[in-house]
Amino acid sequence: MGKTKTTRKFAVAKKMMSHKDGRVRENMEKTQQKQEEAQKKAEPRHVEQANSALFFQYNTQLGPPYHVLVDTNFINFSIRKKLDMVRSMMDCLLAKCIPCITDCVMGELEKLGGKYKIALRLAKDPRFERIPCQCKGCYADDCITKMVQQWRCFIVATCDKELRGRIRKVPGVPCMYISGHKYTVERMPEAFGAPP
């Protein structure tokens, strides 16, 4: 028997993968994202427990003597504006104030070097309360926000707008900052000494 003659087919295109095929990388990524989203929805949500010291947005834990958590730039701006920190805080809140400094803020001041020697000397003042923190070499702003979320018995003193924005998200924690040549407090109804 001889070979059968087959005619060549003209204008036949090669088989191409469909853009909807599962083996295409984009489609694989989309299906993976859908699976991750479905998995996140299936997991239980973590909802923070409400603080028992809050009466709506009013914090009942805050009372004289006020404990004020001080940030690095607040000390520097106070020195620059020639304000005595403890006296200015007392003038603002019309009550006794205890400025508090975390280890991270102290470390940040030490790292700044000789230019901020006065700020470091002021931070080591015996009137300032030193608060030990468990974070290891962490950024001072993160340390302060963690402290405030754990214990809502502090007023945060800072001139950093970004940190103030983060503190505003924590309910019941007032923020102290410098405006003009005075200290002012936001979100604190009893601060009669603070300018409006």
Side-chain angles (χ1 to χ4, degrees):
M1 277 181 55
K3 266 186 178 177
T4 56
K5 286 188 177 179
T6 54
T7 56
R8 279 181 67 197
K9 294 177 182 175
F10 292 99
V12 175
K14 288 182 179 177
K15 285 186 178 178
M16 295 183 69
M17 273 181 24
S18 167
H19 67 279
K20 293 178 184 175
D21 197 330
R23 292 172 289 179
V24 178
R25 182 177 285 150
E26 293 170 7
N27 296 340
M28 289 171 77
E29 287 172 359
K30 284 178 186 175
T31 54
Q32 207 170 18
Q33 282 179 347
K34 284 179 184 176
Q35 286 173 354
E36 286 173 6
E37 286 172 10
Q39 200 172 15
K40 281 181 185 176
K41 285 180 182 176
E43 288 176 3
R45 285 190 314 143
H46 173 70
V47 180
E48 279 189 36
Q49 188 177 357
N51 194 346
S52 60
L54 290 178
F55 178 74
F56 295 107
Q57 289 287 323
Y58 178 74
N59 192 350
T60 55
Q61 274 185 335
L62 282 174
Y66 294 106
H67 291 270
V68 183
L69 260 182
V70 182
D71 191 24
T72 315
N73 54 25
F74 190 80
I75 297 171
N76 292 334
F77 277 105
S78 296
I79 291 166
R80 207 175 284 171
K81 302 256 178 166
K82 294 177 181 163
L83 293 167
D84 178 27
M85 284 184 71
V86 179
R87 186 174 294 157
S88 298
M89 284 178 188
M90 289 171 110
D91 289 344
C92 177
L93 297 169
L94 299 176
K96 188 180 178 188
C97 298
I98 303 164
C100 305
I101 287 187
T102 63
D103 291 341
C104 290
V105 172
M106 200 60 116
E108 205 174 78
L109 277 169
E110 286 167 358
K111 280 180 192 172
L112 287 172
K115 199 175 179 183
Y116 298 95
K117 223 184 267 181
I118 300 165
L120 188 62
R121 197 179 307 146
L122 181 68
K124 288 180 179 174
D125 191 307
R127 296 178 294 176
F128 282 57
E129 191 179 307
R130 184 82 178 264
I131 297 174
C133 59
Q134 284 76 33
C135 42
K136 294 168 186 167
C138 124
Y139 186 47
D141 292 4
D142 296 336
C143 179
I144 289 171
T145 46
K146 269 187 214 167
M147 281 276 201
V148 163
Q149 284 167 348
Q150 278 180 334
W151 302 287
R152 300 198 183 172
C153 58
F154 293 111
I155 297 169
V156 178
T158 182
C159 293
D160 186 8
K161 285 183 180 177
E162 188 183 319
L163 179 59
R164 267 185 16 216
R166 283 168 71 180
I167 298 296
R168 280 187 196 120
K169 290 174 186 170
V170 183
V173 179
C175 213
M176 184 182 278
Y177 59 96
I178 300 170
S179 69
H181 287 277
K182 280 185 177 179
Y183 291 168
T184 55
V185 177
E186 60 182 34
R187 296 197 310 170
M188 192 165 175
E190 314 90 273
F192 297 114

